[in-house]
Amino acid sequence: MSFFSEFKEFAVKGNVVDLAVGVIIGGAFGKIVDSLVGDVIMPVVSKIFGGLDFSNYFIPLAGQTATTLADAKKQGAVLAYGSFITVSLNFIILAFVIFLMIKQINRLKRAPEAAPAPAEPPPTPEDIQLLREIRDSLKR
């Protein structure tokens, strides 16, 4: 088998196509999680901790005096650890949701099937029947 035909066989297999679909769905799901964290969870966390806004937590590295991250980035290099906290929270939530999904899928795969109704016992082989008849006639 040539290298090209072997690669073609690999690329056309269902696993590669499934992986591609998974990556596309994962990208879209990542955007949903980003919105969930940025628009729902972080405002609640901010309210709980007294109005903290993690997105504007940064350390200026070029002596900037800006008060927002966007302005500070325009003036020079910054260490945006608030953005890192937000992205880390995104990852934790995404990992937890995927864990729950995989756990549910595994549970459904392991679901015990209903026990089949007991079938009638197979008919006794002819030689066994013959031996039983001989036994019974010897007993008489």
Side-chain angles (χ1 to χ4, degrees), residues 21-123:
V21 170
V23 167
I24 293 167
I25 297 290
F29 189 69
K31 290 180 182 180
I32 292 170
V33 171
D34 285 343
S35 176
L36 175 68
V37 171
D39 301 331
V40 177
I41 294 175
M42 292 309 281
V44 172
V45 170
S46 175
K47 182 71 173 174
I48 290 171
F49 290 105
L52 295 177
D53 182 12
F54 290 112
S55 63
N56 281 319
Y57 278 30
F58 63 93
I59 298 172
L61 299 177
Q64 300 95 319
T65 57
T67 57
T68 65
L69 179 61
D71 292 340
K73 281 185 175 182
K74 290 177 185 174
Q75 296 175 5
V78 294
L79 181 66
Y81 66 92
S83 295
F84 178 76
I85 291 171
T86 304
V87 170
S88 298
L89 191 57
N90 283 355
F91 172 77
I92 291 168
I93 292 169
L94 182 63
F96 181 69
V97 169
I98 290 177
F99 167 75
L100 292 177
M101 288 171 37
I102 297 298
K103 185 175 179 178
Q104 183 67 17
I105 289 169
N106 288 340
R107 188 181 69 79
L108 291 174
K109 283 183 181 178
R110 287 187 300 227
E113 295 178 8
E120 292 183 25

Side-chain angles (χ1 to χ4, degrees), residues 7-19:
F7 175 74
K8 181 180 172 185
E9 180 183 338
F10 166 77
V12 178
K13 282 186 179 179
N15 292 343
V16 174
V17 174
D18 292 344
L19 178 63

